[in-house]
Amino acid sequence: MGLTKQYLRYVPSAVFGLIGSQKGNIVFVTLRGEKGRYVAVPACEHVFIWDLRKGEKILILQGLKQEVTCLCPSPDGLHLAVGYEDGSIRIFSLLSGEGNVTFNGHKAAITSLKYDQLGGRLASGSKDTDTIVWDVINESGLYRLQGHKDAVTQALFLREKNLLVTSGKDTMVKWWDLDTQHCFKTMVGHRTEVWGLVLVSEEKRLITGSADSELRAWDIAYLQEMEDLEEPEPKKSRGSSPGTQDTSGPEDGTPETDETPEDRILRCRKAGSIMREGRDRVVNLAVDKTGRILACHGTDSVLEVFCILSKAEVQKKMDKKMKKARKKAKLTSSKGEEEDLEVNVKMTLQDEIQRVTNIKTSAKIKSFDLIHSPQGELKAVFLLQNNLVESYSLSPSAPAPQPVRTSRITLGAHRSDVRTLSFSSDNIAILSAAADSVKIWNRATLQCIRTMTCEYALCSFFVPGDRQVVIGTKTGKLQLYDLASGTLLQTIDAHDGALWSLSLSPDQRGFVTGGADKSVKFWDFELVKDENSTQKRLSVKQTRTLQLDEDVLCVSYSPNQKLLAVSLLDCTVKIFYVDTLKFFLSLYGHKLPVICMDISHDGALIATGSADRNVKIWGLDFGDCHKSLFAHDDSVMCLRFVPRSHLFFTAGKDRKIKQWDADKFEHIQTLEGHHQEIWCLAVSPSGDYVVSSSHDRSLRLWERTRELLILEEEREMQREAEYEESVAKEDQPVVPGETQGDNYFTGKKTIETVKAAERIMEAVELYREETAKMKEHKAICKAAGKEVPLPINPILMAYGNISPSAYVLEIFKGIKSSELEESLLVLPFSYVPDVLTLFNEFIQLGSNIELLCRCLFFLLRIHFGQITSNQMLVPVIEKLKETTISKVSQVRDVIGFNMAGLEYLKRECEAKSEVMFFADATSHLEEKKRKRKKREKLILTYT
């Protein structure tokens, strides 16, 4: 048996050239006690924390594989909730940068995240149309709210009431009572998708933004508060059952009464509309924490800022309006009339919500966030479409507020997609070029060391010596840059159309270009002296031209410089002799044009990648096709041989980079990481590094390790990954009484929950085996009349020589809180009797009462029918009933005692400081106001 060929593994090294990706939203975060200085920005699968003042990246929250789609900071500023493309949610600590809590419940991308006022609950909305409320402290799901027919766009908790309001692309706004977990009101007054909503004016008004130029305002009246203030007027019953839709807010302008039978908690009527300047849809609608500033933007580069006036300001405005109206009425009335004129001035929505100004950014806005500084200044930060972060400040109280740009994070990122990459000969510098600029990066530090403006770049290389670079552009120009000074040395009109490809000659004295004008041109380097300078500088001159019948897409020299390969638009690759330019070979077989190709270091092989998704390996001696490989699921965009080997890399529009062996025609490994189409890649001269660029605006560096890669193990890992994906895609287990597809529970089946269920099953089986062994051991000891040593299970010994029942408890304690219910749902019923018996034993001991009761009640709920019909389990359930009630009462007493102790300490602190705690002070003040209003109402009634 021959030796197996060994390969070395390439691993991800870094992500750079990215400020913020487009799918998520930018948010202000609090770090080191400072507000308004740091922002969190989604960056593919990571989250970057930027310092706006210094323009530096200070923290990276490391993600897994999926792209970030949503961010939400906690009210205390210590945590950041991050939603991902696959529906998972991770909560990161901003102090340590670690994500310890993971929630899995959604089947599609997260579209909305929002904490409640205290930060104990988190509401998540998703493209799978579900809204889930999570308990952040217990790290588990509370309930799933199903009702929307399309993606949920926003979810908001109310501060004072236990209510949730959600909006969706199904044109609906739904109100949910979280005490009963049902939808008690559906607002259908929108004709198009509702993209955002905010609560303002002490949660008495709801403002929604949809796909038109209107911001609709809805007045909210809470029926309980209305009953406290006045006796309810008798109203006509319209006899429709609960659950009917609220048809408030028709678009024809008719008045809305909204007195429907489902108004048991609140009443909602349309107050009017605010017209936006933008004519497109609302992309984001937000309000600052004070509830005074409202801002929104569409698909353009303008943020519209509004100010919500207080009651005193509105009254002052109305008094002025009344004064003007009376003055005008006096002037228009006849002189003989001396009696008082009745003047009617109606208060409109525009009197309450006033336009402040517009903030115009340098590019289209993708997302924004607002914060109010203690000085009364409003700060707005923007994530722009062109990979840029800008921040502005303005004073809303000023007579004519003008936004001022305070900072801009631009360094270290291209404004558009990178279309060409190159390595320097010493493996240290990386060149990247896009539509507007060329950047030189230090590979070790990943810092941008030089930026030069250019035209739309398509191809590039370092001139031998690494002091100059040559760029080929979309307009057919050659641009020669000096790296030391960062200046453009020379621009040459090389081709009439796009200059698609460059290839440096092996003797390093010149290069060849191919363009869309059906020609291949040969160029030589030369030193020229300018008229006003004594120094010579590098220049290029054209020596020869090869005219062809089709557009040239790619050119490549053979290592011995005898042959030149030219890819044409007619799907063929022509091989010519360099010295005479005579035709040598034609490589045909691709169904679509060859976009990329490369020749191996020894000149024996040429590999071609095409838009037909295939890679073909040819021999350069006779032009025979050695192998055709189906390489990617979309067009192959780039192909490069690893120096001094027959291994090569391909990159495709399917977001993958693959390594291949051209001798054995085998796929070695796949490098996954990019989230959009990959445009190009470059391999370092040493072969130790690969750099790639993508439509997701990121540049990724891959590094060759010393770890050996064995193909059989790689295939096995690939099969395991496919199995894990298939497990997640399988139908969720159905609870008795539910139909397929309905899922009351908040979790979802993942490979982690399946593994957790397997660990429980293994622990119960070990408990059964060890219990049987102990019985046998007792019988043997009794028969022998002496104590025989009992063999100890190595697993139990590893856990500190614990008992089998204690081992089962340890396994339950080791399962993540967010995965507990789903793991028990997967557990077969045959293990449940043993688990219930063990639970009875554990609860009697008084250990982990909360965890055990949670598991017990869940098992009783999902297996109720089988447990009640099993006579063997009746005594176990009776014992559990007694022990659970007594132990839970004990725990409740302990908690009550602790709460009483904390209340006592709180009173002691208040007595010492003679200051009430803020929360209580606010609630007492509001209670006094409510009573005063009630007394005033009663006085008015009696008089």
Side-chain angles (χ1 to χ4, degrees):
M1 182 178 173
L3 290 172
T4 305
K5 190 171 182 179
Q6 293 180 338
Y7 306 99
L8 294 177
R9 186 183 296 279
Y10 283 81
V11 296
S13 176
V15 179
F16 63 104
L18 181 66
I19 290 175
S21 51
Q22 309 297 309
K23 281 196 177 177
N25 59 307
I26 188 170
V27 292
F28 278 107
V29 292
T30 305
L31 275 181
R32 302 161 188 167
E34 288 194 59
K35 292 183 179 179
R37 179 174 175 179
Y38 303 101
V39 291
V41 181
C44 293
E45 68 271 24
H46 306 307
V47 177
F48 291 165
I49 310 292
W50 291 92
D51 184 343
L52 290 175
R53 197 176 297 169
K54 294 182 179 178
E56 294 176 357
K57 192 191 307 175
I58 61 165
L59 183 63
I60 299 176
L61 306 180
Q62 297 281 350
L64 300 174
K65 283 185 178 180
Q66 298 295 328
E67 193 171 9
V68 175
T69 57
C70 194
L71 300 178
C72 181
S74 63
D76 57 9
L78 299 176
H79 298 91
L80 183 71
V82 182
Y84 292 91
E85 186 77 27
D86 63 344
S88 62
I89 302 165
R90 293 182 74 192
I91 297 177
F92 288 88
S93 167
L94 290 173
L95 300 174
S96 63
E98 294 178 357
N100 298 322
V101 182
T102 303
F103 295 132
N104 282 303
H106 291 288
K107 297 176 185 175
I110 303 295
T111 53
S112 171
L113 287 173
K114 193 64 71 176
Y115 278 95
D116 67 353
Q117 189 183 8
L118 298 174
R121 293 178 299 175
L122 177 69
S124 63
S126 169
K127 285 184 179 178
D128 64 3
T129 74
D130 291 349
T131 304
I132 300 179
V133 180
W134 307 91
D135 185 343
V136 178
I137 297 164
N138 193 35
E139 301 179 11
S140 62
L142 292 176
Y143 28 79
R144 183 187 296 267
L145 307 174
Q146 295 177 320
H148 282 288
K149 303 298 181 189
D150 207 337
V152 178
T153 55
Q154 187 64 275
L156 294 174
F157 284 100
L158 273 72
R159 291 182 184 176
E160 302 298 327
K161 309 284 188 300
N162 194 25
L163 304 176
L164 183 78
V165 57
T166 60
S167 64
K169 287 174 71 176
D170 56 357
T171 75
M172 308 289 186
V173 174
K174 289 182 177 288
W175 293 83
W176 307 84
D177 183 356
L178 297 183
D179 292 326
T180 58
Q181 296 108 49
H182 84 286
C183 174
F184 66 89
K185 180 183 274 294
T186 300
M187 296 165 56
V188 294
H190 303 85
R191 284 185 175 176
T192 53
E193 301 96 334
V194 183
W195 289 101
L197 54 84
V198 290
L199 287 162
V200 296
S201 303
E202 298 176 354
E203 298 186 341
K204 298 290 179 65
R205 177 163 287 161
L206 178 74
I207 295 176
T208 58
S210 57
D212 52 23
S213 57
E214 285 185 45
L215 293 180
R216 291 167 179 80
W218 312 81
D219 283 335
I220 303 165
Y222 301 102
L223 300 188
Q224 187 62 43
E225 292 180 7
M226 293 169 66
E227 287 170 9
D228 289 346
L229 294 175
E230 61 182 11
E231 290 293 324
E233 296 178 9
K235 62 180 180 181
K236 294 178 183 179
S237 173
R238 299 203 300 199
S240 60
S241 61
T244 56
Q245 292 183 332
D246 173 14
T247 57
S248 60
E251 300 295 328
D252 56 2
T254 55
E256 303 87 0
T257 56
D258 277 351
E259 296 180 2
T260 51
E262 75 267 18
D263 291 334
R264 295 187 301 274
I265 299 173
L266 57 83
R267 186 178 300 152
C268 198
R269 63 177 289 275
K270 192 174 178 184
S273 297
I274 309 162
M275 297 304 295
R276 295 168 47 237
E277 289 183 1
R279 294 285 172 239
D280 48 2
R281 75 173 180 90
V282 172
V283 175
N284 282 308
L285 178 67
V287 68
D288 70 334
K289 285 186 179 178
T290 63
R292 186 170 170 80
I293 301 296
L294 172 73
C296 68
H297 73 89
T299 55
D300 53 6
S301 59
V302 176
L303 180 79
E304 299 181 45
V305 183
F306 301 88
C307 182
I308 298 158
L309 302 180
S310 63
K311 288 181 180 178
E313 289 171 328
V314 172
Q315 189 60 45
K316 193 176 177 183
K317 197 173 181 181
M318 292 309 297
D319 290 344
K320 282 184 181 178
K321 219 173 180 182
M322 181 71 78
K323 196 175 177 182
K324 281 184 182 178
R326 280 178 180 166
K327 194 174 180 181
K328 191 176 179 182
K330 280 182 183 179
L331 291 172
T332 54
S333 64
S334 60
K335 293 180 181 179
E337 293 180 5
E338 293 181 359
E339 55 188 74
D340 290 340
L341 296 165
E342 287 188 11
V343 178
N344 253 340
V345 177
K346 289 185 179 179
M347 185 172 68
T348 62
L349 190 66
Q350 280 69 23
D351 295 322
E352 299 178 65
I353 301 174
Q354 182 178 315
R355 183 182 293 275
V356 178
T357 186
N358 289 348
I359 300 177
K360 173 81 171 160
T361 58
S362 61
K364 287 184 179 179
I365 304 170
K366 295 306 289 184
S367 65
F368 75 99
D369 196 19
L370 301 173
I371 194 168
H372 224 89
S373 65
Q375 294 80 21
E377 197 177 50
L378 179 73
K379 289 184 178 178
V381 66
F382 300 90
L383 175 61
L384 304 182
Q385 195 178 31
N386 61 348
N387 199 16
L388 199 66
V389 169
E390 287 183 349
S391 66
Y392 290 79
S393 66
L394 61 92
S395 299
S397 56
Q402 290 296 323
V404 179
R405 192 168 75 192
T406 53
S407 63
R408 195 179 192 207
I409 301 174
T410 59
L411 194 65
H414 286 279
R415 303 282 76 79
S416 57
D417 294 358
V418 172
R419 302 309 296 255
T420 175
L421 291 164
S422 297
F423 265 99
S424 63
S425 59
D426 56 4
N427 306 291
I428 292 176
I430 300 171
L431 178 149
S432 64
D436 57 352
S437 63
V438 180
K439 289 183 182 288
I440 308 296
W441 307 82
N442 185 318
R443 180 195 50 76
T445 62
L446 301 176
Q447 296 296 315
C448 179
I449 54 179
R450 184 73 72 224
T451 301
M452 300 162 286
T453 57
C454 72
E455 294 187 20
Y456 199 116
L458 293 177
C459 47
S460 63
F461 66 85
F462 277 89
V463 175
D466 298 334
R467 293 184 180 181
Q468 294 88 14
V469 293
V470 174
I471 305 292
T473 71
K474 198 173 183 179
T475 55
K477 292 179 181 176
L478 276 175
Q479 294 187 307
L480 180 64
Y481 290 88
D482 180 57
L483 295 184
S485 61
T487 57
L488 177 64
L489 295 178
Q490 188 178 8
T491 300
I492 302 167
D493 292 323
H495 292 269
D496 291 337
L499 199 161
W500 290 114
S501 181
L502 292 168
S503 180
L504 182 66
S505 62
D507 63 4
Q508 300 188 344
R509 293 181 179 179
F511 59 94
V512 65
T513 61
D517 59 354
K518 304 179 183 179
S519 66
V520 175
K521 296 186 179 181
F522 295 81
W523 308 80
D524 281 346
F525 296 115
E526 63 175 356
L527 291 172
V528 296
K529 188 185 288 185
D530 292 330
E531 294 177 2
N532 53 358
S533 173
T534 56
Q535 296 273 340
K536 286 187 177 181
R537 65 168 180 82
L538 187 72
S539 178
V540 295
K541 67 173 182 179
Q542 184 184 344
T543 57
R544 292 185 295 171
T545 301
L546 173 62
Q547 199 64 38
L548 297 164
D549 298 329
E550 296 285 343
D551 290 9
V552 178
L553 298 180
C554 189
V555 291
S556 181
Y557 270 115
S558 65
N560 57 10
Q561 206 172 332
K562 287 185 177 179
L563 300 174
L564 177 70
V566 181
S567 163
L568 301 177
L569 200 60
D570 63 359
C571 309
T572 64
V573 176
K574 301 276 196 298
I575 312 293
F576 296 92
Y577 291 105
V578 173
D579 51 359
T580 61
L581 297 184
K582 285 185 178 178
F583 174 75
F584 173 49
L585 292 171
S586 179
L587 311 179
Y588 55 90
H590 283 289
K591 296 181 179 68
L592 290 171
V594 173
I595 299 173
C596 52
M597 63 183 176
D598 200 12
I599 299 175
S600 62
H601 71 288
D602 55 3
L605 300 174
I606 178 171
T608 57
S610 168
D612 63 6
R613 302 176 289 178
N614 290 312
V615 168
K616 292 183 185 289
I617 301 167
W618 316 76
L620 260 183
D621 44 4
F622 301 108
D624 54 324
C625 181
H626 291 183
K627 189 71 174 177
S628 182
L629 305 168
F630 183 74
H632 291 270
D633 296 328
D634 209 332
S635 301
V636 182
M637 297 303 295
C638 196
L639 186 151
R640 288 288 179 269
F641 270 99
V642 177
R644 297 180 296 281
S645 75
H646 279 184
L647 308 180
F648 65 92
F649 283 96
T650 59
K653 281 189 176 180
D654 60 353
R655 311 173 185 184
K656 294 176 183 176
I657 299 171
K658 295 184 179 181
Q659 189 185 20
W660 307 84
D661 187 342
D663 291 330
K664 295 195 170 185
F665 317 124
E666 283 186 317
H667 172 217
I668 301 169
Q669 67 169 332
T670 302
L671 306 177
E672 292 186 270
H674 283 292
H675 300 283
Q676 296 290 338
E677 301 95 329
I678 300 173
W679 297 126
C680 56
L681 64 83
V683 182
S684 66
S686 64
D688 289 335
Y689 301 97
V690 176
V691 65
S692 57
S693 76
S694 166
H695 186 49
D696 61 14
R697 305 291 173 85
S698 68
L699 299 175
R700 290 178 184 264
L701 187 66
W702 314 82
E703 187 176 355
R704 184 164 62 186
T705 61
R706 301 296 102 191
E707 178 191 351
L708 289 176
L709 187 147
I710 295 141
L711 293 181
E712 288 74 14
E713 290 181 4
E714 195 70 14
R715 302 292 178 270
E716 184 64 31
M717 287 167 62
Q718 193 174 347
R719 283 193 291 271
E720 284 178 10
E722 287 173 1
Y723 168 70
E724 289 179 9
E725 283 182 15
S726 66
V727 165
K729 288 176 183 176
E730 283 176 7
D731 292 332
Q732 302 293 317
V734 181
V735 179
E738 287 189 0
T739 57
Q740 185 71 36
D742 291 342
N743 190 1
Y744 169 78
F745 304 108
T746 55
K748 74 172 181 181
K749 184 179 177 183
T750 62
I751 193 66
E752 285 79 16
T753 60
V754 172
K755 287 178 179 176
E758 287 173 355
R759 287 201 300 273
I760 296 172
M761 290 156 61
E762 288 168 2
V764 172
E765 285 172 0
L766 186 142
Y767 165 74
R768 289 173 181 171
E769 291 171 6
E770 291 300 313
T771 308
K773 282 181 185 176
M774 288 173 78
K775 285 181 181 177
E776 288 177 12
H777 179 258
K778 282 181 183 177
I780 291 168
C781 291
K782 193 175 180 180
K786 61 177 182 178
E787 192 67 31
V788 178
L790 174 69
I792 301 171
N793 192 302
I795 296 174
L796 301 178
M797 194 180 291
Y799 275 82
N801 205 5
I802 58 175
S803 65
S805 57
Y807 172 68
V808 176
L809 180 60
E810 287 296 321
I811 293 298
F812 271 99
K813 285 160 67 178
I815 297 171
K816 286 184 180 178
S817 179
S818 58
E819 297 170 358
L820 187 61
E821 279 89 356
E822 204 63 33
S823 304
L824 292 172
L825 195 59
V826 179
L827 190 70
F829 181 74
S830 57
Y831 293 90
V832 172
D834 291 314
V835 170
L836 293 177
T837 308
L838 288 167
F839 281 180
N840 185 32
E841 181 185 327
F842 298 147
I843 292 172
Q844 283 178 351
L845 295 172
S847 57
N848 298 94
I849 299 296
E850 188 180 347
L851 171 68
L852 294 173
C853 285
R854 185 178 161 195
C855 297
L856 173 63
F857 297 151
F858 186 80
L859 287 173
L860 289 174
R861 195 191 315 170
I862 62 175
H863 297 299
F864 179 77
Q866 288 173 291
I867 289 172
T868 50
S869 62
N870 192 334
Q871 293 299 318
M872 302 291 290
L873 288 175
V874 172
V876 178
I877 297 297
E878 287 294 332
K879 287 178 185 175
L880 274 169
K881 181 182 174 184
E882 295 171 11
T883 53
T884 304
I885 291 171
S886 62
K887 292 295 179 182
V888 169
S889 299
Q890 288 178 16
V891 172
R892 191 168 57 224
D893 293 342
V894 170
I895 292 172
F897 180 82
N898 291 340
M899 287 180 69
L902 289 170
E903 286 289 336
Y904 171 74
L905 290 172
K906 181 180 169 183
R907 287 195 299 272
E908 288 290 314
C909 290
E910 285 176 357
K912 285 180 182 177
S913 61
E914 296 181 355
V915 175
M916 290 178 68
F917 279 90
F918 296 116
D920 279 355
T922 308
S923 62
H924 282 308
L925 184 64
E926 287 177 354
E927 188 68 23
K928 283 179 183 176
K929 281 183 180 178
R930 197 176 291 117
K931 286 179 180 176
R932 195 186 304 123
K933 282 182 182 177
K934 199 170 182 179
R935 283 200 300 271
E936 288 171 0
K937 188 72 178 176
L938 287 170
I939 290 165
L940 288 170
T941 308
Y942 285 124
T943 54

